[in-house]
Amino acid sequence: MKRSSGARLCATAVVGALSLALLTGCSDSGSEDGGSDGGKGSSAKALTKAELDNLLIKQGDVAGYKVQPVDKELASSKDKLKSDEKCLPLVYVMAGLAPTDAPAETNTMARQEKKPTDTASKSLEDLAEGEVEDAMTDALSVDVTVVTLSSYEGEGAADAFQSVSDAVKSCSGGFEVTDGGEKSKVTKVAAEDAVGATGDEAVAFAATGEIDEKTGQSGVMHAQVVRHGNTIAGYFTMNIGAMMTGKDYAIPAAIVDAQAGKLK
């Protein structure tokens, strides 16, 4: 696949429209308070945002990843996101938001740490023709995952999970997304096997996003939703370098396991 500067810009634009936060560079804990009974319904009350914040993974919880807050100035909000109503739960998950309206939600971002290659360690002036593009692609070839926790009352979590599961099927042919004034297109949604600890129930999907309408270039993004009692944990992973080159990547199981461990 030829990787032009135009394609890089288009990739950035598409990714930004779905989840601008990724480009910056609560739930039940198994106690009586959390009310996790493993069933679809619960009489437990939703946790507060502060309680959810305490349950999020933190720096040091996942080896090889830097965990940091999502840039609030770049993060999307539900009132700015427009799409086919049945597909909105998928859009929200990919934007680092709760799949449906929740009494409380929060998120964080885990960025893969990697050692610089010989090419990446050179100064721009020292790079030969062709190495500049390789260096840029290498710099972008890191997994970036937004982890979202949302807490619900009653059967709210089960309903939120079901909305995502239904959308994976009904939106398989793709959908358009408008984030403020930015438009983008998902051309395909396909169910995937969930990775890591899957809680009470889990659903995962790959979304193919259009990068360049003229050339037909596209890139794949990965998302997963796991229900832990009255809590929904959402994961959205992108690797822009892999999207540009067509290489395979996946949601890091280590992140899912670390977050699940805090929700037991």
Side-chain angles (χ1 to χ4, degrees), residues 17-253:
L18 287 174
S19 185
L20 283 170
L22 295 188
L23 296 182
T24 66
C26 262
S27 130
D28 176 57
S29 62
S31 66
E32 292 181 1
D33 290 339
S36 176
D37 56 9
K40 292 187 176 181
S42 173
S43 60
K45 293 183 178 180
L47 298 182
T48 65
K49 183 180 182 303
E51 290 172 318
L52 289 176
D53 286 338
N54 287 333
L55 291 173
L56 271 175
I57 56 171
K58 305 292 192 298
Q59 175 62 24
D61 287 338
V62 189
Y65 290 85
K66 181 179 181 181
V67 180
Q68 61 192 75
V70 175
D71 192 322
K72 299 302 181 182
E73 294 182 358
L74 296 179
S76 298
S77 59
K78 288 183 177 179
D79 60 340
K80 293 182 179 179
L81 292 166
K82 308 297 180 184
S83 186
D84 188 320
E85 185 173 358
K86 65 182 179 182
C87 303
L88 279 173
L90 305 186
V91 175
Y92 293 155
V93 170
M94 292 191 293
L97 302 169
T100 61
D101 290 339
E105 63 180 278
T106 190
N107 60 21
T108 194
M109 182 170 66
R111 181 184 295 274
Q112 181 184 16
E113 296 179 318
K114 59 182 297 185
K115 296 180 180 179
T117 62
D118 292 338
T119 299
S121 62
K122 294 181 181 179
S123 65
L124 186 62
E125 293 77 10
D126 293 333
L127 293 176
E129 185 176 354
E131 286 188 320
V132 174
E133 185 122 4
D134 290 339
M136 292 184 66
T137 301
D138 181 71
L140 294 172
S141 295
V142 295
D143 294 335
V144 181
T145 302
V146 167
V147 180
T148 306
L149 295 183
S150 49
S151 183
Y152 298 81
E153 296 183 357
E155 296 187 359
D159 291 342
F161 177 88
Q162 191 62 49
S163 73
V164 175
S165 182
D166 291 344
V168 170
K169 299 175 183 177
S170 60
C171 301
S172 60
F175 49 88
E176 292 186 347
V177 181
T178 300
D179 184 355
E182 298 288 340
K183 293 185 178 181
S184 61
K185 182 183 294 185
V186 170
T187 59
K188 178 183 177 181
V189 174
E192 293 188 309
D193 292 333
V195 302
T198 55
D200 295 316
E201 49 187 344
V203 60
F205 63 93
T208 301
E210 185 179 82
I211 293 177
D212 191 328
E213 184 177 3
K214 293 182 179 180
T215 65
Q217 186 178 0
S218 61
V220 178
M221 302 159 283
H222 300 276
Q224 179 167 312
V225 169
V226 183
R227 184 176 69 82
H228 300 266
N230 277 34
T231 298
I232 292 290
Y235 306 89
F236 177 56
T237 299
M238 289 193 311
N239 184 313
I240 299 176
M243 290 172 66
M244 290 164 54
T245 59
K247 292 182 179 180
D248 292 333
Y249 69 100
I251 293 173

